[in-house]
Amino acid sequence: MKIFSYTVRPNIPEPLKPLEEISQNLWLSWNFNAVNLFIRLDYEAWEKSHQNPAMMLGLVSQERLNEAALDDSFLAAISMVYERFKRYKSAETWYQGSRDNTIAYFSMEYGLDVSLPIFSGGLGILSGDHMKTSSDLGLPLTGVGLLYRQGYFVQYLNQDGYQQEMYPENDWYNMPVELCRDKDGIPRTVSVDIGDSQVVVHIWEVKVGRNSLYLLDANIDDNPEELRVITAALYGGDAEMRMKQEILLGIGGIRALRCLGINPAVVHMNEGHSAFLILERVRELVKDHGLTYGEAVQVLWPTNIFTTHTPVPAGNERFPVYLMEKYFMKCVTDLGLAWEDFLALGRENPGDQGEPFCMTLFAFRLSAYNNGVSRLHGKVSREMWKNIWPGLNLNEIPITHITNGVHPLSWISHDMVDLLDRYFGPRFYEEPTSLTLWNRMDRISDEELWRTHERRRERLVAFTRQNLKKQLEKRGSSEISIAHAEDVLSPYTLTISFARRFATYKRATLLLKDPDRLLKLVSDPQRPIQLIFAGKAHPHDKPGKELIREIVHTASRPEFRSKIVFLENYEMSISRHLLSGSDLWLNTPRRPLEASGTSGIKAAINGVLNVSILDGWWDEAWNSKIGWAIGAGEEYEDQNLQDEVESKALYDLLEREIVPAFYDRGRDNLPREWIGKMKECMRVIGQQFSSQRMLLEYSDKFYLPALKHYGVFTGENFRVGKDLAKYLDKVRGEWGSVKIQDMCCSDSPVHKVGDRLKVDAHVQLGRLSPEDVAVELVYGHIVSRDSFENPLRTEMAPIGKKGDSTAYSVEVICEQTGKQGYSVRVIPKHPHLIHPFLPGLIKWL
């Protein structure tokens, strides 16, 4: 049977038309006044639509719409919100540059709003906040992703507390996405060769404030079923399916932007999934502009940005060689690149024929700008990938860090936003880069801040009871258990939440390790605690599922019942209640396996204090005035010992510091010490870990320089890129002839601070000239025979010829005491190299 489809849209009365426009722009996701319009219009429809304004408008009866169209109070509220929306879109922004060229931001998932379920967790939430903040700043940034038919799974638990999964289908015609069409109303399409097949995709647009996110959809009639499933599910299928998705995201994403008339001058790859886009950008220059592969790479290298999120080698995407041959042999051959040279770009050891192709390595090698997502993660990444740059000191490896941040207006509860608005003033909304406004936290009285927080805790308890009752009903629990759900938790008790992905390294059950000690804490008649857990395990992660089961079983024991709760299907709505209504946010990863984490940041800007292992963002944020650290940043080889030590440390903190700080009250019943920490926490974290700070840092370090480089490297018929490619070909061809023959220092082996150290060296350059290279003296404190600690570097000057070598000399001043060392190295030197640290091009004495 063939079914012919058509689309039906709600019949919105003219006075309510702004609601349609607002419902199709995720600006509303960080403006509660806009959300409140839909709640006010029809609360039951709002709940039935799962807080999806686009769907909700179709659920509201025509009678109610007509009634609202005559309600002058409601129309006044619409007018106020709509005017604010229009002012936001037209206002002057931080970025004042040209918008002719775009920063194309690629991510496998985007967590923008509960109404658009195309994300699984932290990576997607970060991508969503990145999009929202780029809109706030006015950056010319465009997002690219995939439109998943099923998105991520819906979690539910069976009677034994074991995680089960459901995969409901998304209805895009009732969500805030719009199919891109040409001027004749025909859907825009692009095609991508995936192996021997050609996949045709539609392009959908998601409006995010001033900017747009474009999502590719392979689930269309033009494709056979085996190709339509490429965009069926996020992170679904085997390695081959993931490769197809990543080809579609990277190569298809670049083509989609071209189809829409958008020039991706700069690309930002959020994790390695999209790195195949580099091949498409190279192909364009080779095919359309006649460049060689080497020239195209040099033109694009200064415009490629790569962010890694994974602090363990096994977590980085790797594809076997047979899959690479199946899907890329023809593409690579057409580019004029030798197959083994291509595979070497994705291998840590280029000569190892059996090593699979790593997307992270590929992105590192072909991007001028690389970063981890916290200070500690940057350090871990440099250590983890140091073999790509043999001969470089660890701190010189070209992987920096930009610590993650969160979008404040998306995550601070509306109660708290109202309070901050009163004391921070209009600049809090209108000038998101005015981060010093957070210094006004001291203007807020302790009473106002605490009463606001107490209301949020009361709302969290009511929300938890309601949700627990629903999940018990769906699970077929007894009437007694369901009735008991209406009385779990207390709105007056210290509430601790643990909510995140249930991977084993996050150690969700660390606080359950000593049941007797835990029982004493939750049962204290004067100073009790209560716990809320939420989170999903990956469908194939059995150990993660067992952690959930252990928590559910513990919560069902009579002595813990009503004191410990697990909430199913952790998503944005649950997250917002926990992040604002909890008193304490618990985070217990094994250091250094948490690249950054952002849930604790969201909690902190809500005034929820953190108790956490010193890992990820908390390692650089923590001080004793804003929360508590479990341990002192130790790393263990014995995981059982680590669990034992850190669980005891956590219990000690709760018993000796955290519980007393919460319950010690004056005659006004205010926990002054706790409130003081809340204020300082919000002040510090609001300034240092907002996504505005993060995007300003990306802009200063990466985006603005890369946009400038695009103009330089593509101008004058790509002259600079061609010259640089020619230069590097010459350098690589002669590098085997480069040799430091000798080095001498005629001075004493003992020096005093202020003495001058003179070093001479003789270097064979082959057919290279002194202008082609930099000969550097590297010197400073040494920690072992062949390792510097934070060395200094200064370029040596050529002073003449000696036979077939060039003489170099330099003088430096001795400034540090202790064991010092020095050596000489040769590196490439060219005015248009973004940095000189190219794999394989470094020679030491």
Side-chain angles (χ1 to χ4, degrees):
M1 176 177 68
K2 183 172 178 62
I3 298 177
F4 296 89
S5 64
Y6 57 95
T7 303
V8 177
R9 297 189 180 275
N11 184 12
I12 306 295
E14 192 63 33
L16 304 185
K17 285 292 186 182
L19 290 178
E20 270 194 310
E21 185 177 348
I22 292 171
S23 74
Q24 292 294 323
N25 193 311
L26 290 180
W27 170 85
L28 67 82
S29 68
W30 69 93
N31 287 272
F32 184 74
N33 287 339
V35 171
N36 204 38
L37 291 176
F38 296 90
I39 296 174
R40 183 173 169 183
L41 178 62
D42 191 327
Y43 181 75
E44 289 187 7
W46 173 254
E47 286 296 303
K48 189 176 180 180
S49 71
H50 302 291
Q51 304 179 20
N52 177 354
M55 176 185 291
M56 180 215 155
L57 289 177
L59 300 177
V60 179
S61 69
Q62 196 64 45
E63 181 183 10
R64 173 59 186 137
L65 290 172
N66 294 336
E67 178 186 301
L70 300 174
D71 184 339
D72 57 351
S73 174
F74 187 60
L75 294 180
I78 291 177
S79 177
M80 181 190 71
V81 171
Y82 191 50
E83 284 301 316
R84 189 176 192 180
F85 175 55
K86 290 190 292 185
R87 282 200 310 273
Y88 174 85
K89 292 183 69 176
S90 61
E92 189 175 274
T93 63
W94 172 82
Y95 178 78
Q96 294 291 304
S98 168
R99 303 188 68 84
D100 293 340
N101 295 316
T102 292
I103 305 156
Y105 180 82
F106 285 72
S107 183
M108 205 70 170
E109 51 176 303
Y110 289 87
L112 287 155
D113 189 60
V114 67
S115 63
L116 192 64
I118 55 169
F119 66 99
S120 69
L123 179 71
I125 297 295
L126 176 72
S127 301
D129 282 8
H130 203 106
M131 288 295 305
K132 294 173 185 179
T133 312
S134 70
S135 169
D136 287 344
L137 271 58
L139 284 169
L141 185 143
T142 300
V144 181
L146 300 181
L147 190 75
Y148 302 103
R149 193 171 75 210
Q150 296 175 332
Y152 208 50
F153 67 89
V154 171
Q155 176 200 56
Y156 68 98
L157 306 182
N158 64 18
Q159 282 285 16
D160 191 39
Y162 197 74
Q163 175 181 293
Q164 308 290 300
E165 297 87 28
M166 291 189 301
Y167 294 86
E169 300 254 331
N170 290 318
D171 177 7
W172 302 121
Y173 294 92
N174 276 313
M175 290 184 175
V177 296
E178 185 174 354
L179 187 61
C180 295
R181 301 176 185 272
D182 63 19
K183 63 182 187 315
D184 298 319
I186 307 300
R188 293 184 179 274
T189 62
V190 293
S191 60
V192 180
D193 291 331
I194 299 183
D196 295 330
S197 304
Q198 188 175 75
V199 181
V200 180
V201 295
H202 281 166
I203 309 166
W204 296 73
E205 180 183 15
V206 181
K207 293 183 174 67
V208 187
R210 301 178 176 96
N211 293 350
S212 292
L213 162 65
Y214 294 101
L215 303 172
L216 309 187
D217 175 21
N219 183 32
I220 63 175
D221 292 340
D222 292 13
N223 295 320
E225 182 58 33
E226 64 269 17
L227 298 180
R228 294 176 65 170
V229 298
I230 293 176
T231 55
L234 173 61
Y235 304 133
D238 56 12
E240 188 163 11
M241 179 55 71
R242 289 197 305 276
M243 174 172 276
K244 292 177 181 179
Q245 288 186 331
E246 295 180 13
I247 292 171
L248 192 62
L249 174 63
I251 296 176
I254 293 292
R255 294 184 183 181
L257 293 175
R258 295 291 186 203
C259 174
L260 297 168
I262 298 169
N263 178 32
V266 171
V267 295
H268 182 178
M269 295 164 278
N270 191 38
E271 203 42 288
H273 305 115
S274 61
F276 291 135
L277 66 83
I278 297 171
L279 291 177
E280 176 63 12
R281 298 186 81 204
V282 168
R283 186 197 66 81
E284 289 179 335
L285 294 182
V286 171
K287 179 173 181 286
D288 300 337
H289 297 280
L291 274 65
T292 66
Y293 167 81
E295 291 170 340
V297 166
Q298 295 312 315
V299 168
L300 296 174
W301 183 67
T303 68
N304 290 338
I305 300 163
F306 173 57
T307 299
T308 176
H309 292 259
T310 311
V312 290
N316 292 269
E317 188 82 82
R318 286 175 165 84
F319 292 116
V321 173
Y322 78 89
L323 280 182
M324 297 302 298
E325 290 177 347
K326 179 177 179 180
Y327 290 99
F328 286 100
M329 180 67 82
K330 182 179 184 304
C331 167
V332 169
T333 301
D334 290 346
L335 293 177
L337 177 62
W339 179 247
E340 287 303 321
D341 290 343
F342 170 65
L343 290 180
L345 293 172
R347 286 171 168 163
E348 193 163 359
N349 179 4
D352 183 353
Q353 302 300 311
E355 184 179 340
F357 187 92
C358 177
M359 297 295 283
T360 302
L361 288 166
F362 180 58
F364 274 141
R365 283 199 169 98
L366 294 178
S367 300
Y369 302 103
N370 302 293
N371 72 287
V373 289
S374 70
R375 182 176 62 195
L376 179 60
H377 182 231
K379 179 181 177 182
V380 169
S381 297
R382 288 189 290 275
E383 178 66 41
M384 189 163 70
W385 302 110
K386 62 184 179 183
N387 291 339
I388 308 176
W389 294 275
L392 269 190
N393 293 291
L394 201 61
N395 69 329
E396 292 181 313
I397 289 171
I399 304 174
T400 184
H401 77 274
I402 296 179
T403 303
N404 286 346
V406 304
H407 188 250
L409 289 177
S410 291
W411 297 105
I412 301 176
S413 70
H414 63 88
D415 318 66
M416 188 63 75
V417 167
D418 289 344
L419 181 62
L420 297 180
D421 269 341
R422 292 205 300 274
Y423 289 93
F424 287 10
R427 290 169 60 206
F428 182 53
Y429 176 83
E430 295 170 0
E431 299 177 23
T433 58
S434 298
L435 301 177
T436 56
L437 290 174
W438 287 95
N439 289 327
R440 297 181 179 180
M441 279 304 302
D442 287 339
R443 298 183 181 185
I444 303 173
S445 71
D446 289 359
E447 290 82 1
E448 283 186 286
L449 182 61
W450 190 246
R451 299 305 171 221
T452 299
H453 182 61
E454 285 190 313
R455 285 195 300 273
R456 299 186 305 172
R457 192 191 314 115
E458 291 166 2
R459 190 182 301 123
L460 170 61
V461 170
F463 174 84
T464 301
R465 290 171 177 174
Q466 181 184 27
N467 275 264
L468 183 60
K469 182 179 178 181
K470 288 179 180 177
Q471 67 189 47
L472 290 173
E473 288 173 345
K474 286 190 294 184
R475 209 181 296 170
S477 299
S478 68
E479 290 292 331
I480 295 175
S481 297
I482 293 171
H484 180 71
E486 296 179 353
D487 196 38
V488 301
L489 306 181
S490 164
Y492 311 108
T493 295
L494 171 58
T495 304
I496 305 173
S497 290
F498 180 100
R500 52 192 31 85
R501 182 167 55 91
F502 268 69
T504 52
Y505 80 87
K506 294 179 182 284
R507 298 187 296 176
T509 58
L510 194 67
L511 190 52
L512 310 184
K513 194 166 181 62
D514 189 335
D516 292 336
R517 226 168 152 182
L518 178 60
L519 180 60
K520 185 178 178 181
L521 283 165
V522 301
S523 303
D524 188 315
Q526 302 299 321
R527 297 180 166 191
I529 70 169
Q530 56 193 14
L531 308 173
I532 304 175
F533 291 88
K536 298 177 178 180
H538 188 278
H540 302 308
D541 184 1
K542 291 183 179 180
K545 291 184 177 183
E546 285 297 332
L547 292 176
I548 294 173
R549 183 173 173 271
E550 181 182 345
I551 291 169
V552 173
H553 279 228
T554 300
S556 65
R557 288 166 53 179
E559 64 269 32
F560 291 116
R561 191 175 296 146
S562 83
K563 310 290 179 60
I564 302 177
V565 173
F566 184 90
L567 291 177
E568 291 180 8
N569 200 37
Y570 183 51
E571 41 76 33
M572 275 188 168
S573 178
I574 293 176
S575 175
R576 287 193 172 100
H577 280 86
L578 292 173
L579 291 165
S580 61
S582 304
D583 298 299
L584 191 68
W585 200 257
L586 176 63
N587 189 29
T588 52
R590 294 189 194 281
R591 177 185 165 110
L593 301 183
E594 181 111 296
S596 173
T598 58
S599 64
I601 304 175
K602 301 181 191 93
I605 60 173
N606 270 289
V608 176
L609 302 182
N610 276 258
V611 56
S612 174
I613 299 293
L614 288 171
D615 199 7
W617 76 278
W618 190 240
D619 180 65
E620 61 194 88
W622 175 76
N623 69 66
S624 60
K625 296 179 181 179
I626 66 171
W628 293 272
I630 305 169
E634 301 91 350
E635 295 176 21
Y636 296 76
E637 292 185 9
D638 186 333
Q639 293 187 354
N640 291 326
L641 175 62
Q642 181 178 10
D643 292 351
E644 186 71 27
V645 170
E646 292 179 342
S647 67
K648 286 181 178 179
L650 175 55
Y651 285 121
D652 287 344
L653 281 173
L654 287 167
E655 293 165 350
R656 299 174 186 176
E657 298 185 34
I658 295 172
V659 171
F662 181 83
Y663 283 107
D664 284 348
R665 312 285 172 100
R667 284 183 294 179
D668 55 8
N669 199 34
L670 293 178
R672 296 286 183 176
E673 179 186 350
W674 192 276
I675 295 170
K677 285 182 179 288
M678 288 176 65
K679 286 184 175 181
E680 182 66 8
C681 178
M682 294 176 72
R683 185 187 70 80
V684 171
I685 305 306
Q687 288 187 76
Q688 297 180 15
F689 294 91
S690 73
S691 55
Q692 281 79 19
R693 186 277 309 157
M694 178 181 76
L695 261 292
L696 289 174
E697 205 168 337
Y698 271 110
S699 297
D700 290 342
K701 288 185 175 181
F702 295 168
Y703 291 163
L704 301 185
L707 284 169
K708 182 179 179 180
H709 295 321
Y710 175 81
V712 170
F713 278 74
T714 59
E716 301 179 62
N717 192 30
F718 307 98
R719 179 186 61 80
V720 170
K722 291 176 179 178
D723 288 348
L724 185 55
K726 184 178 179 181
Y727 161 78
L728 287 174
D729 282 345
K730 179 175 74 170
V731 168
R732 289 190 174 102
E734 287 297 313
W735 203 247
S737 303
V738 174
K739 182 181 179 181
I740 303 171
Q741 286 184 309
D742 60 61
M743 176 184 70
C744 64
C745 176
S746 58
D747 294 330
S748 164
V750 178
H751 297 269
K752 293 181 179 180
V753 172
D755 286 351
R756 303 185 74 85
L757 179 73
K758 184 175 183 294
V759 178
D760 298 304
H762 294 91
V763 183
Q764 284 186 341
L765 297 176
R767 287 183 290 182
L768 297 178
S769 70
E771 291 75 25
D772 291 330
V773 299
V775 178
E776 292 186 335
L777 178 71
V778 181
Y779 61 103
H781 181 63
I782 52 177
V783 292
S784 66
R785 192 173 65 179
D786 58 356
S787 178
F788 288 100
E789 180 183 57
N790 299 320
L792 301 172
R793 47 189 282 240
T794 188
E795 188 171 346
M796 303 179 72
I799 58 173
K801 297 284 288 185
K802 182 181 179 182
D804 60 352
S805 67
T806 302
Y808 286 83
S809 183
V810 71
E811 281 190 355
V812 295
I813 297 174
C814 299
E815 296 178 339
Q816 298 176 326
T817 61
K819 185 73 170 178
Q820 305 290 307
Y822 60 91
S823 189
V824 172
R825 70 182 179 192
V826 184
I827 55 176
K829 182 180 180 181
H830 190 281
H832 292 292
L833 273 178
I834 309 308
H835 63 76
F837 301 128
L838 306 180
L841 294 182
I842 182 169
K843 280 286 180 75
W844 289 90
L845 177 67

